Amino acid sequence: MRITPPAERALRKGHPWIFDQSITDIGHAGAPGDLAVIFDKERRFQAIGLYDPTSSIRVRILQVRQPAIINMNWFQSKIEMASRARASLIKHNTNGYRLINGENDGLPGLIVDRYADTLVLKLYTPAWVPHLKDFCDALAKVSPAAHVILRLSRSLENQTSLRYGLTDGMTLTLQTPPNLILFTENGLIFESDPINGQKTGFFLDQRDNRLRVQKLSKGKSVLNVFSYTGGFSVYAARGGAKEVVSVDLSVPALEAAVRNMAHNNLTTAHETIAEDAFEVLARMASQKRSFDMVIIDPPMFAHSEKQIPVALGAYRKLTRLGLGVLRQGGTLVQASCSSRVDDESFFEAIHKSAKEAGRKLTEIERTGHALDHPIDFKEGAYLKCLFAATG
Ligand code: SAH
């Protein structure tokens, strides 16, 4: 195929996607997973990628400049690179991490998370289906696991005819995986439920921020809002918090949070509240309940460009509500995982809201992704987090 000059320029700069409207000429209609080869005007090779007629991201680039044969060996070399980049995590007593972060590790449209002996492979495009055997063979060579569980993105789940019998949550290995997977993160034991849980069972991307929270927790009362299975709560408890409160809408997530405390023999006072976070924060403020540290790590708010203003409004509201239960001199930790909301707008929203609330906010640190979530292109970045002290 041929593509527009701007798309060619983006490709040369390393952008991993070609959108449907950038395609100017195509040899013949392709099926999902066909290899698309992009040529320039002089018929010189530009790139090769996975073709997906079902998505506006029509081609996900695998290889640029030099032609290559896309087979098990090619996948293996990419997985080896990704695996090497994570090698240092083992030294930190961590066997739960993202082994492959999609486009950012040169394998677009697919992620692989490791939880101890289990790998969770998530596909975001049917284009991977025809290559799955080669990919899994390569994975088994580089990063063997007792169990490989397949997850399908929502869009893929709806495309029954393109799945060739693959189902969300199925096991690709011989043995039935255990119901409960335990793994370690910075020496702490956590549960993951890759089939019924959110994402692939755990929010691995917050590992470094959790360690930061641990270091700031000694002797403090900590409120963990949008706690999920208590990642931040467990770290706060290990850091010596005197009290931890976890708030989340999901009852099973909070039950897991209680178990995660127990897996680590932590006996810190831990209260769980299964209610809407906005309501809980407002009620606590009216009851004059306050904390030394408030962590706010909500789900993605902007699912499209149009929703960016709404998302920023929600972040501002959460800052205001969070500050409403944060003592003077306390620590605010607020994160965003909306890739469409850029860093500057997010941090600005927090500061604006603090100002409106008449609270002084002194930044301690702005943080982003951990080592196993490398970012290789603009759209790949999503996580940002502010640590700030309040006046
Ligand atoms: N901080 C967590 C990840 C949070 S993900 C960690 O470190 O693991 C976002 C969480 O927000 C999910 O667990 C989801 O159940 C919860 N959630 C979504 N909307 C909510 C709401 N309105 N009130 C409370 N929790 C909510």
Side-chain angles (χ1 to χ4, degrees):
M1 62 172 60
R2 293 208 178 87
I3 57 177
T4 60
E8 254 188 44
R9 279 197 294 279
L11 189 64
R12 276 199 289 272
K13 279 196 205 145
H15 201 282
W17 296 338
I18 294 173
F19 288 96
D20 49 354
Q21 46 327 352
S22 303
I23 298 170
T24 53
D25 186 15
I26 181 161
H28 63 89
D34 281 358
L35 292 169
V37 187
I38 294 109
F39 295 98
D40 69 5
K41 278 209 297 289
E42 276 79 46
R43 284 200 63 83
R44 285 178 303 213
F45 174 90
Q46 296 292 302
I48 188 163
L50 292 174
Y51 186 72
D52 180 2
T54 70
S55 167
S56 60
I57 305 177
R58 196 53 51 92
V59 182
R60 293 169 198 254
I61 301 299
L62 296 168
Q63 166 94 15
V64 286
R65 283 183 284 276
Q66 294 297 320
I69 297 170
I70 306 300
N71 56 14
M72 193 197 75
N73 291 338
W74 190 91
F75 294 135
Q76 192 175 331
S77 72
K78 289 283 162 182
I79 301 168
E80 274 165 359
M81 259 197 301
S83 180
R84 269 199 298 275
R86 275 91 174 156
S88 67
L89 288 170
I90 305 297
K91 278 190 289 202
H92 298 284
N93 217 339
T94 295
N95 66 10
Y97 55 89
R98 179 148 297 180
L99 173 63
I100 294 167
N101 193 27
E103 325 353 50
N104 305 288
D105 281 304
L107 291 160
L110 160 162
I111 61 161
V112 180
D113 285 346
R114 176 176 280 283
Y115 296 104
D117 242 2
T118 300
L119 291 175
V120 186
L121 164 59
K122 182 154 182 182
L123 303 185
Y124 291 85
T125 160
W128 273 105
V129 174
H131 304 279
L132 203 54
K133 167 119 186 23
D134 279 351
F135 181 80
C136 286
D137 287 349
L139 194 58
K141 282 195 166 180
V142 183
S143 191
H147 312 288
V148 178
I149 294 171
L150 180 73
R151 296 299 313 266
L152 304 174
S153 71
R154 202 160 298 157
S155 63
L156 190 46
E157 229 189 313
N158 296 335
Q159 298 171 4
T160 326
S161 62
L162 300 175
R163 289 198 267 111
Y164 305 98
L166 299 174
T167 53
D168 186 40
M170 78 187 287
T171 309
L172 300 179
T173 30
L174 290 175
Q175 297 169 44
T176 309
N179 287 335
L180 190 68
I181 297 172
L182 294 180
F183 67 96
T184 55
E185 186 185 89
N186 289 314
L188 287 167
I189 299 167
F190 286 101
E191 294 181 5
S192 173
D193 181 346
I195 295 172
N196 306 304
Q198 300 185 35
K199 282 229 184 163
T200 61
F202 197 71
F203 289 83
L204 295 164
D205 50 0
Q206 290 284 24
R207 182 188 317 107
D208 292 357
N209 288 331
R210 287 196 267 264
L211 205 53
R212 290 182 180 99
V213 160
Q214 175 184 313
K215 289 179 184 149
L216 295 168
S217 292
K218 197 160 182 58
K220 292 190 178 157
S221 57
V222 177
L223 175 63
N224 182 9
V225 191
F226 304 99
S227 66
Y228 189 50
T229 56
F232 283 105
S233 305
V234 172
Y235 276 75
R238 180 166 71 172
K242 66 168 190 255
E243 172 205 15
V244 181
V245 179
S246 302
V247 179
D248 201 285
L249 266 182
S250 159
V251 173
L254 288 174
E255 286 169 355
V258 172
R259 289 194 298 271
N260 282 332
M261 287 282 190
H263 293 316
N264 295 285
N265 302 317
L266 292 162
T267 51
T268 314
H270 180 214
E271 181 186 348
T272 57
I273 305 176
E275 276 179 62
D276 174 70
F278 293 85
E279 285 172 20
V280 173
L281 286 168
R283 187 176 65 234
M284 283 177 164
S286 72
Q287 294 168 342
K288 305 249 180 305
R289 191 162 176 196
S290 60
F291 297 85
D292 302 314
M293 179 166 9
V294 176
I295 303 154
I296 305 173
D297 180 26
M300 182 164 66
F301 284 146
H303 295 271
S304 67
E305 291 287 312
K306 270 214 313 268
Q307 291 173 344
I308 293 175
V310 182
L312 286 169
Y315 291 131
R316 278 200 300 276
K317 186 166 183 191
L318 283 172
T319 304
R320 178 167 56 73
L321 289 168
L323 290 173
V325 295
L326 188 60
R327 281 188 199 124
Q328 274 196 354
T331 311
L332 175 72
V333 182
Q334 190 171 347
S336 158
C337 63
S338 305
S339 62
R340 288 179 186 84
V341 174
D342 64 78
D343 307 21
E344 276 313 314
S345 314
F346 174 64
F347 296 128
E348 205 181 285
I350 296 178
H351 281 293
K352 197 170 161 203
S353 181
K355 211 170 186 170
E356 280 166 12
R359 295 286 290 268
K360 190 169 151 25
L361 210 57
T362 313
E363 290 202 10
I364 301 170
E365 204 176 356
R366 293 180 178 198
T367 69
H369 300 80
L371 159 157
D372 54 333
H373 290 68
I375 301 308
D376 207 33
F377 70 122
K378 195 173 126 273
E379 293 88 334
Y382 63 94
L383 189 66
K384 47 243 166 235
C385 185
L386 181 72
F387 285 71
T390 50

